[in-house]
Amino acid sequence: MSSFSDPKAISNYAENALRRVPGLSDVHRMSALLMAESTPPDGRVLVVGAGGGMELKFFAQSHPGWQLDGVDPSAEMLSLASTALGPFASRVQLHQGYIEAAPTGPFDAASSLLTLHFTSEAERYRTLCEIHARLKSGGVFVAMHYSIPQNDVARDLWLSRCAAFAISSGIEPDQAKTTAAAISKQLPILTPERDEELMRRAGFSDISTFFVALAFRGWVARA
């Protein structure tokens, strides 16, 4: 799943993400609403996995006073984010690397959308701990990624449904099925129960689900 250095995949990232992830635009809107519940108008927000700039742009556009920091390991994806931000770029600082490259904060809120499913269980827990450490007490954390039952039958069924959604959105059938097979083989997807357990161990509380769509699940929690 190393498409984040492929120029063609990068140039089509936003379009393909919207085709593959049910309700992605609404996830951005819901995430902003959830973070705004306790983030002040001049708040500071951390976006983990910011490459592409989709949520950065939406957050900046919908909350003109927020200052945002985005971190991502892909220089190419950060370049895409910088271009996508356009006039909002002055309120966004981009940092290349993993969570350690992010400023220490403190941040009022943080998001990690379509990112944590790329990390192993140990790396996911460490990333969650690092995010928690950068948030103010009571700060909001929003996460969304693949999270499904892990027996072979259930895993293959839900990923095949994701492929069917992508096909219905205009993705070539062979491409959609190949991607689903690669996701099943390569991504360290966890169960929803395990994802929530790791959040609790990292220090988050008031964990609740705000989004479920096919193989994707989203949570909101408090530091």
Side-chain angles (χ1 to χ4, degrees):
M1 303 303 296
S2 58
S3 61
F4 298 125
S5 60
D6 176 5
K8 183 177 180 180
I10 289 169
S11 65
N12 295 328
Y13 173 76
E15 179 183 357
N16 284 334
L18 291 169
R19 288 179 171 183
R20 293 183 182 281
V21 183
L24 181 55
S25 293
D26 287 328
V27 168
H28 294 156
R29 183 153 55 104
M30 288 185 284
S31 296
L33 290 169
L34 291 166
M35 292 191 294
E37 288 179 350
S38 60
T39 299
D42 61 348
R44 191 177 180 194
V45 175
L46 173 64
V47 175
V48 180
M54 296 177 72
E55 58 262 52
L56 280 172
K57 181 179 180 180
F58 186 88
F59 297 162
Q61 187 172 23
S62 57
H63 294 277
W66 284 3
Q67 297 293 318
L68 299 116
D69 285 83
V71 60
D72 196 281
S74 169
E76 295 87 353
M77 289 294 286
L78 286 178
S79 177
L80 179 61
S82 181
T83 300
L85 283 165
F88 306 109
S90 62
R91 289 193 286 118
V92 180
Q93 297 295 318
L94 298 175
H95 312 273
Q96 185 183 355
Y98 295 93
I99 182 62
E100 294 83 3
T104 56
F107 291 92
D108 297 283
S111 73
S112 179
L113 306 180
L114 298 175
T115 298
L116 290 176
H117 53 219
F118 290 108
T119 62
S120 67
E121 184 170 327
E123 182 70 10
R124 193 171 312 189
Y125 171 64
R126 188 185 63 78
T127 300
L128 289 167
C129 289
E130 293 287 345
I131 294 171
H132 186 274
R134 286 164 168 76
L135 284 168
K136 295 179 180 178
S137 178
V140 177
F141 174 54
V142 178
M144 189 274 283
H145 49 263
Y146 285 110
S147 185
I148 49 178
Q150 288 307 296
N151 67 75
D152 290 342
V153 173
R155 183 183 179 99
D156 290 345
L157 174 60
W158 283 111
L159 292 176
S160 72
R161 288 168 171 168
C162 288
F165 178 85
I167 293 166
S168 74
S169 301
I171 300 290
E172 289 294 327
D174 287 347
Q175 181 185 354
K177 293 173 184 177
T178 298
T179 298
I183 288 169
S184 180
K185 182 178 180 180
Q186 298 177 28
L187 289 194
I189 299 171
L190 302 180
T191 65
E193 295 79 12
R194 188 58 176 159
D195 269 315
E196 291 180 20
E197 182 180 347
L198 292 180
M199 288 184 223
R200 284 191 294 270
R201 283 180 53 200
F204 290 99
S205 60
D206 298 329
I207 302 166
S208 57
T209 302
F210 77 92
F211 177 79
V212 179
L214 299 180
F216 299 94
R217 185 175 293 260
W219 297 267
V220 58
R222 296 273 179 175

